[in-house]
Amino acid sequence: MLLCAVAIAIVLAVRVVQGSRAELRRGEELEAAGQLELAIVHFRRAARWYAPGNGSVDAALTALARIGSNAERAKDVELALSAWRGVRASILSTRSVFTPHPERLREANRHIARLMATHNVPPMDQGKSEPALEAEHLALLEGNHRPNVAWTLLALLGFVAWVGGVYRFIDRAIGPEDELVTAAAWRWGTVVLVGLALFVLGLAFA
């Protein structure tokens, strides 16, 4: 069983690295050809094939940052936003109990906030200074939108108890003649209800 799990993990790791490398190469080809919008799409895909130690992810994030910085210098705000948002989205889409590449995420947030403070400012914000708008955007971008780990684990525990309780109820609380086994019904019925309650509670506060 352990060998099987290790083999599956190795196969998945190889697939992740290969997928990331292929998308990175395609992005580099498109960047070299001047098709920057399409290059951003493939660099984002490469960065989302995340695995610890996968160098293609770092290269893809570097490429996105390069396109974003170059676009800013060229005053191409839309392209710059697309690239920096690609960095941000790629990192956030691969986070779990921790967020990979936190420095790159902070860098992307700063660039996005600066660009949004000067580009297509809505009428309601026209009276605000650029530094004030930038600070507002940065605060929103850096807000903690991560699910609460403790409540998430509680929801998972509730789900396991709920589903497991249903299975046990069917298996233990219903006799061979389809009669209800009272003691087992009370026991596993309680497990089902408690599990469902924990699942809903965990989702509500996660």
Side-chain angles (χ1 to χ4, degrees), residues 146-162:
R146 294 174 57 184
N148 183 281
V149 175
W151 288 108
T152 301
L153 291 175
L154 183 67
L156 291 173
L157 176 64
F159 180 77
V160 171
W162 173 27

Side-chain angles (χ1 to χ4, degrees), residues 69-77:
S69 296
N70 290 341
E72 284 185 75
R73 285 191 288 271
K75 307 300 182 183
D76 189 339
V77 178

Side-chain angles (χ1 to χ4, degrees), residues 2 11 16 27-28 32-34 42 47 55 58 75 81 93 107 110 123 125 130 132 146 150 165 175 180 186 193:
L2 179 60
V11 170
V16 166
E28 290 171 341
H42 287 276
D58 292 327
K75 307 300 182 183
L81 277 172
S93 67
E107 180 188 21
R110 289 193 297 270
D125 290 332
E130 286 185 14
R146 294 174 57 184
L180 192 66
W186 275 106
L193 292 176

Side-chain angles (χ1 to χ4, degrees), residues 1-77:
M1 181 64 72
L2 179 60
L3 289 176
C4 182
V6 171
I8 292 173
I10 291 173
V11 170
L12 289 175
V14 170
R15 176 68 184 94
V16 166
V17 172
Q18 287 180 338
S20 182
R21 190 174 298 163
E23 293 291 350
L24 175 65
R25 283 198 299 266
R26 183 56 180 153
E28 290 171 341
E29 292 170 358
L30 290 165
E31 183 184 9
Q35 301 182 52
L36 298 181
E37 285 289 355
L38 285 175
I40 288 172
V41 172
H42 287 276
F43 285 137
R44 287 179 64 161
R45 291 176 182 172
R48 286 177 177 174
W49 283 103
Y50 175 77
N54 183 3
S56 296
V57 171
D58 292 327
L61 292 173
T62 298
L64 288 167
R66 178 176 62 247
I67 293 174
S69 296
N70 290 341
E72 284 185 75
R73 285 191 288 271
K75 307 300 182 183
D76 189 339
V77 178

